[in-house]
C-alpha cells in the first residue's frame, strides 16, 4: 500500500528576555543550580506572577512576522500536572485565547518548490525546571532538581499538520528557527535548549482524507534528529499497520544513540491537564500602540528578502533561499553583489566556495576570515580577466588563510592569468609540435585527445593560461591542415 | 450530571489527593450537586456575552524586563527536606 505521511510540529522557542516571564529572576544560561530560582519560580505560598512586558513584545513580533492576527485580548491558563520539576503543580500557559492566531510561513524545498505551511497559533508560557538523574545523588534513589529554567519565557509555536515528509518538517523547523533569530526574539541555541521540537507524526493510505492515529515525539533538539526520528516513526507505523496491528495515540521519545523512538507510557495519564484560566493573572489586553511599537523596527523579513533576491538579482529560488538563511548572510551577499556588480557570480561563490570553507571550519558567516569587501575584490579580478575560475579558487584559499587581499596575493604569488595570445600561441605551437602521435589521433577523429592537449598547456603554464583562449588556439592549430 | 465512584477516584488521583474509601460516596454527591448548579447556569442564554476570564474587570499590568531577584538559594533550601550541590533532591523519577 502507498502511505502518506502527515506531520505537524510544536516548537518551543525561548524568548530572549533578561528576566523570567513572571518574576524578576535572571534567565542566563549555565548559572549554578537554583541560583536563579526565586520565590515566584519556586511557587512558594503567597507569591503572585507579574507578566514581563518584553516577553509579550517578542511574541507580538513573531505574530506580525508570520502575518497572523495578534490578539488584543488573550488569557493565561493553568495546565495541571505533577512532576518534580514543576513546583506549582501547574504550568502557566495559554489555552483558549492565545496571543498569536493563525499565520503561515513559506518553505523552499530542495527542488526549488515553495510551499506554505500553516501556523495554527503561538502562545506564551513558562518553562519547567530540569531533572537530573544521577545515581550518586543522595547516595542513590534520588533525582536532583534544578529550577533555574523554571519560569523562563517560551513561545510555543504550533503548526498545522501540513508537512508530508521528514524533509518538509526539517525545512519548516529551520524556517521557524531562521525567523525567530532574524526578528531577534530568540537566540535559537539548540544545545542550550532554547529551541525544542515536538513532532506529531501519523500515516494514512494515499487519498484518504481522515488522519491516522498519531504519535507525538517529544523534545527533539536538532534538525538531524528531527529527520531521523520522523523517518524511524513512519517506518514503525507502516510496519505495525501492514502487520495487521493497530496504532495507539501515545507520546514517544527519540533515542539518538539507538536511532529509534520509544513509548513514554508514564506520561499517558498526565494528558488530562484540566486547563482553566489562572486566577492570579488578569486577561492580557494590548492596545494598538503597543503592537505598533513592538514591530516598528522589524527588519525586512526573510520571505520578502528571498523574493526580492529572486527578482532583483535574478537568482533561482534555491540560491535566494540559501542566501537568506540568516540576516548576516543576506547582508554579506548584498555587499558582495553591489561591490562586484555581478549578483549571480556573488551567489555562486558564496553558496559554493565560501559556504564549503565555512562548513569545513565550522564557522558562521559572521566569523568568515574573508570579508564581503575582499570577496568582491576577488570577483572583480575574475570579471576583468586577471583570474580564471581555477586561479580565483587558489587566491580565495590564500585569502582564507590570511595572506592578504586579492591583488596582493595575485602579485606576490604571480597568479595573474596568461591572456597574451602571442605567448600562448608560442607555447601551444611547441606542445603541438612535440606530440605528433596525439595530433594524428585527434585528426583521425579521437576527440578525447583534445583534453590531453589542454592538460599539457595547463601544466606548462602552471594553470595560468586563460582556458577560453587555450581552447580557441588549440582548435585552430589542431584542425586538419589541407 | 452525576459522578460515580470511579470519577471521584480519577479526579482525586489527578489532584494527588488521598481520599478515604468511605468518603467517596459523599464527594460524589457534593461534586454532582456543584455540576448540577453549573448545568442550571448553562441553560441561560448567553448569546453575545464575552466569557469572563477573571472576576476583576481589569487587565493585566506588565512589568519591565529587569532582573530584580538575587540569589537566595541558601535561604530557600534551608526549608527543603533534602539538597545536594545546590540541587533539590526528590525520590527518583524516571520518564
Amino acid at each position: 500500500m502507498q502511505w502518506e505521511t502527515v506531520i505537524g510540529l510544536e516548537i518551543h522557542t525561548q524568548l530572549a528576555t533578561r528576566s523570567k516571564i513572571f518574576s524578576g529572576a535572571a534567565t542566563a544560561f549555565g548559572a549554578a543550580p537554583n541560583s536563579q530560582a526565586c520565590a515566584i519560580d519556586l511557587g512558594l505560598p503567597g507569591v503572585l506572577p507579574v507578566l514581563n512586558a518584553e516577553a509579550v513584545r517578542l511574541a507580538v513580533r513573531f505574530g506580525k512576522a508570520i502575518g497572523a492576527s495578534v490578539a488584543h485580548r488573550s488569557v493565561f491558563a493553568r495546565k495541571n500536572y505533577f512532576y518534580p520539576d514543576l513546583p506549582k503543580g501547574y504550568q502557566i500557559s495559554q489555552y483558549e485565547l492565545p496571543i498569536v492566531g493563525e499565520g503561515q510561513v513559506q518553505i523552499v524545498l530542495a527542488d526549488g518548490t515553495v510551499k506554505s505551511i500553516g501556523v495554527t497559533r503561538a502562545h506564551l508560557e513558562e518553562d519547567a525546571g530540569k531533572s537530573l538523574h544521577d545515581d550518586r545523588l543522595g547516595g542513590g534513589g534520588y533525582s536532583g532538581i534544578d529550577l533555574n529554567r523554571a519560569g523562563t519565557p517560551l513561545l510555543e509555536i504550533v503548526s498545522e499538520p501540513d508537512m508530508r515528509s521528514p524533509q518538509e518538517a526539517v525545512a519548516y523547523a529551520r524556517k521557524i528557527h531562521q525567523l525567530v533569530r532574524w526578528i531577534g526574539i530568540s537566540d535559537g541555541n539548540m544545545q542550550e535548549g532554547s529551541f525544542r521540537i515536538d513532532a506529531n507524526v501519523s500515516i494514512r493510505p494515499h487519498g484518504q482524507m481522515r488522519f491516522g492515529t498519531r504519535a507525538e515525539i517529544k523534545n527533539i533538539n536538532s534538525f538531524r534528529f528531527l529527520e531521523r526520528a520522523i523517518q524511524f516513526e513512519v517506518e514503525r507505523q507502516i510496519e505495525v499497520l501492514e502487520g495487521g496491528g493497530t496504532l495507539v495515540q501515545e507520546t514517544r521519545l527519540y533515542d539518538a544513540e539507538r536511532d529509534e523512538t520509544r513509548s513514554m507510557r508514564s506520561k499517558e495519564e498526565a494528558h488530562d491537564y484540566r486547563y482553566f484560566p489562572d486566577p492570579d493573572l488578569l486577561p492580557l489586553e494590548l492596545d494598538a500602540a503597543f503592537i505598533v511599537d513592538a514591530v516598528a523596527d522589524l527588519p525586512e523579513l526573510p520571505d520578502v528578502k528571498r523574493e526580492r533576491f529572486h527578482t532583483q538579482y535574478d537568482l533561482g529560488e534555491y540560491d535566494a533561499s540559501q542566501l537568506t538563511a540568516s540576516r548576516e548572510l543576506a547582508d554579506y551577499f548584498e555587499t558582495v553583489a553591489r561591490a562586484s556588480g555581478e549578483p549571480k557570480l556573488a551567489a555562486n561563490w558564496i553558496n559554493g566556495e565560501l559556504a564549503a570553507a565555512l562548513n569545513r571550519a565550522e564557522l558562521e558567516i559572521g566569523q568568515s576570515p574573508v570579508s564581503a569587501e575582499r570577496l568582491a575584490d576577488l570577483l572583480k579580478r575574475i570579471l576583468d580577466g586577471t583570474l580564471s575560475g581555477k586561479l580565483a579558487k587558489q587566491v580565495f584559499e590564500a585569502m582564507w588563510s590570511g595572506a592578504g587581499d586579492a591583488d596582493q596575493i595575485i602579485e606576490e604569488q604571480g597568479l595573474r592569468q596568461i591572456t597574451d595570445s602571442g605567448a600562448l600561441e608560442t607555447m601551444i605551437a611547441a606542445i603541438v609540435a612535440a606530440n605528433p602521435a596525439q595530433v594524428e589521433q585527434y585528426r583521425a577523429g579521437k576527440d578525447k585527445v583534445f583534453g590531453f592537449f589542454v592538460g599539457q598547456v595547463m601544466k606548462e603554464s602552471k594553470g595560468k593560461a586563460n582556458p577560453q583562449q587555450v581552447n580557441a588556439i588549440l582548435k585552430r592549430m589542431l584542425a586538419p591542415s589541407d | 450530571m452525576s459522578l460515580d465512584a470511579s470519577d471521584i477516584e480519577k479526579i482525586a488521583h489527578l489532584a494527588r489527593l488521598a481520599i478515604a474509601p468511605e468518603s467517596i460516596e459523599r464527594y460524589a454527591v457534593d461534586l454532582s450537586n456543584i455540576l448540577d448548579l453549573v448545568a442550571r447556569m448553562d441553560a441561560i442564554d448567553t448569546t453575545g456575552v464575552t466569557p469572563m476570564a477573571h472576576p476583576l474587570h481589569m487587565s493585566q499590568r506588565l512589568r519591565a524586563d529587569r532582573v530584580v531577584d538575587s540569589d537566595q538559594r541558601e535561604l530557600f533550601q534551608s526549608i527543603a527536606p533534602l539538597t545536594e550541590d545546590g540541587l533539590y533532591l526528590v525520590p527518583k523519577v524516571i520518564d
Side-chain angles (χ1 to χ4, degrees):
Chain A
M1 181 175 305
Q2 280 280 73
W3 297 97
E4 181 179 51
T5 303
V6 176
I7 306 158
L9 300 184
E10 290 166 20
I11 296 177
H12 292 86
T13 188
Q14 181 177 328
L15 296 172
T17 59
R18 281 186 285 272
S19 65
K20 293 193 176 167
I21 185 167
F22 298 119
S23 82
T27 55
F29 181 82
N34 292 305
S35 62
Q36 292 177 171
C38 71
I40 290 173
D41 306 328
L42 295 176
L44 294 183
V47 299
L48 278 175
V50 187
L51 185 57
N52 185 338
E54 181 64 3
V56 176
R57 192 183 77 88
L58 298 178
V60 169
R61 282 169 82 81
F62 179 79
K64 287 294 177 187
I66 60 162
S69 58
V70 170
H72 287 274
R73 180 171 177 274
S74 65
V75 170
F76 286 92
R78 292 185 179 181
K79 177 180 178 176
N80 300 281
Y81 67 94
F82 287 96
Y83 205 73
D85 60 22
L86 188 75
K88 298 190 292 296
Y90 59 86
Q91 176 193 28
I92 304 176
S93 181
Q94 295 189 301
Y95 188 54
E96 284 175 320
L97 298 167
I99 185 163
V100 174
E102 269 177 58
Q104 58 177 24
V105 297
Q106 293 183 341
I107 58 171
V108 179
L109 306 175
D111 66 359
T113 321
V114 178
K115 179 173 176 175
S116 275
I117 305 291
V119 171
T120 316
R121 57 184 281 161
H123 59 258
L124 283 164
E125 62 181 29
E126 59 178 342
D127 206 347
K130 200 165 84 181
S131 309
L132 292 132
H133 310 289
D134 182 335
D135 287 336
R136 287 165 303 184
L137 284 170
Y142 291 97
S143 293
I145 306 293
D146 176 5
L147 295 170
N148 280 350
R149 217 176 61 190
T152 298
L154 300 179
L155 187 66
E156 177 174 342
I157 303 157
V158 183
S159 86
E160 291 290 307
D162 282 350
M163 289 146 277
R164 294 290 173 269
S165 70
Q167 292 73 32
E168 286 186 15
V170 170
Y172 166 78
R174 282 189 184 279
K175 183 65 194 220
I176 297 293
H177 188 247
Q178 167 204 40
L179 190 60
V180 298
R181 293 163 73 207
W182 191 286
I183 60 175
I185 68 166
S186 174
D187 65 16
N189 189 321
M190 296 178 92
Q191 275 89 42
E192 293 178 2
S194 300
F195 195 85
R196 312 193 293 266
I197 307 165
D198 298 343
N200 286 299
V201 181
S202 65
I203 59 169
R204 62 182 172 187
H206 253 289
Q208 178 181 301
M209 291 298 290
R210 191 166 42 82
F211 291 129
T213 303
R214 70 168 192 267
E216 181 179 13
I217 314 169
K218 282 274 188 200
N219 259 333
I220 306 167
N221 66 355
S222 92
F223 298 120
R224 194 163 55 93
F225 290 168
L226 175 64
E227 182 164 358
R228 282 165 51 182
I230 295 172
Q231 195 65 53
F232 174 87
E233 184 56 24
V234 167
E235 282 161 20
R236 185 190 71 86
Q237 293 186 9
I238 291 175
E239 207 168 292
V240 170
L241 292 183
E242 292 192 343
T246 48
L247 294 164
V248 284
Q249 187 170 326
E250 60 180 349
T251 304
R252 299 180 71 87
L253 194 68
Y254 178 67
D255 180 336
E257 267 167 47
R258 295 192 198 163
D259 191 22
E260 63 177 25
T261 64
R262 273 203 309 275
S263 186
M264 293 168 75
R265 301 207 185 278
S266 62
K267 289 238 164 162
E268 286 318 289
E269 65 172 27
H271 271 200
D272 194 343
Y273 290 130
R274 295 149 295 140
Y275 283 95
F276 62 88
D278 190 334
D280 285 347
L281 288 154
L282 291 151
L284 172 62
E285 284 173 8
L286 300 179
D287 56 26
F290 184 94
I291 295 173
V292 168
D293 264 6
V295 298
D297 64 338
L298 264 192
E300 182 183 29
L301 294 170
D303 285 346
V304 178
K305 206 185 270 284
R306 192 191 77 234
E307 205 40 46
R308 181 167 66 76
F309 281 10
H310 178 51
T311 50
Q312 180 180 344
Y313 300 123
D314 198 24
L315 302 180
E317 286 285 1
Y318 190 72
D319 267 346
S321 114
Q322 292 290 104
L323 291 170
T324 48
S326 72
R327 263 163 83 185
E328 293 76 15
L329 184 60
D331 290 347
Y332 187 101
F333 162 73
E334 287 216 276
T335 307
V336 180
R338 289 208 184 108
S340 69
E342 276 293 324
K344 276 194 167 171
L345 186 65
N348 287 343
W349 272 80
I350 294 168
N351 284 339
E353 289 304 302
L354 181 68
L358 289 170
N359 244 337
R360 275 196 300 274
E362 290 180 21
L363 294 178
E364 299 284 330
I365 185 71
Q367 305 162 297
S368 169
V370 177
S371 69
E373 291 74 16
R374 286 198 163 180
L375 184 61
D377 286 342
L378 172 66
L379 301 191
K380 281 185 209 157
R381 293 297 161 261
I382 298 175
L383 292 165
D384 68 13
T386 308
L387 295 171
S388 65
K390 195 165 165 235
L391 288 172
K393 283 180 188 177
Q394 252 176 282
V395 175
F396 177 81
E397 267 163 39
M399 279 166 63
W400 181 270
S401 43
D405 65 25
D407 286 339
Q408 254 173 304
I409 293 165
I410 293 168
E411 213 49 56
E412 280 165 17
Q413 307 193 9
L415 293 176
R416 199 173 288 275
Q417 177 172 234
I418 304 171
T419 53
D420 174 350
S421 48
L424 285 175
E425 289 201 13
T426 313
M427 185 192 296
I428 292 169
I431 288 168
V432 169
N435 295 284
Q438 281 81 358
V439 173
E440 208 157 300
Q441 285 174 12
Y442 178 77
R443 288 183 180 159
K446 248 185 124 180
D447 291 344
K448 271 201 248 164
V449 183
F450 193 79
F452 161 79
F453 284 105
V454 174
Q456 291 299 305
V457 178
M458 285 303 169
K459 200 170 148 196
E460 182 68 27
S461 69
K462 299 193 175 66
K464 290 189 284 189
N466 175 295
Q468 288 78 28
Q469 281 174 284
V470 170
N471 280 343
I473 297 169
L474 265 175
K475 280 221 169 96
R476 179 155 46 76
M477 289 194 177
L478 289 174
S481 50
D482 34 22
Chain B
M1 187 180 171
S2 79
L3 299 171
D4 61 23
S6 69
D7 293 324
I8 300 303
E9 279 165 6
K10 185 183 174 209
I11 294 166
H13 174 67
L14 284 171
R16 298 297 186 276
L17 292 174
I19 296 184
E22 60 271 23
S23 28
I24 288 179
E25 185 51 35
R26 188 167 53 82
Y27 280 117
V29 172
D30 286 353
L31 291 177
S32 297
N33 283 342
I34 293 171
L35 289 177
D36 286 342
L37 176 66
V38 174
R40 276 165 63 195
M41 290 192 285
D42 255 351
I44 299 165
D45 180 9
T46 53
T47 317
V49 179
T50 310
M52 188 174 75
H54 199 280
L56 295 180
H57 211 74
M58 295 164 72
S59 69
Q60 181 63 36
R61 293 269 300 268
L62 302 178
R63 43 167 268 272
D65 181 26
R66 275 199 300 272
V67 175
V68 293
D69 281 301
S70 52
D71 180 8
Q72 295 188 80
R73 186 175 77 186
E74 297 278 303
L75 176 64
F76 295 142
Q77 295 200 334
S78 66
I79 55 164
L82 213 50
T83 61
E84 187 176 313
D85 297 336
L87 296 167
Y88 293 92
L89 295 194
V90 298
K92 196 168 189 67
V93 282
I94 307 159
D95 274 340

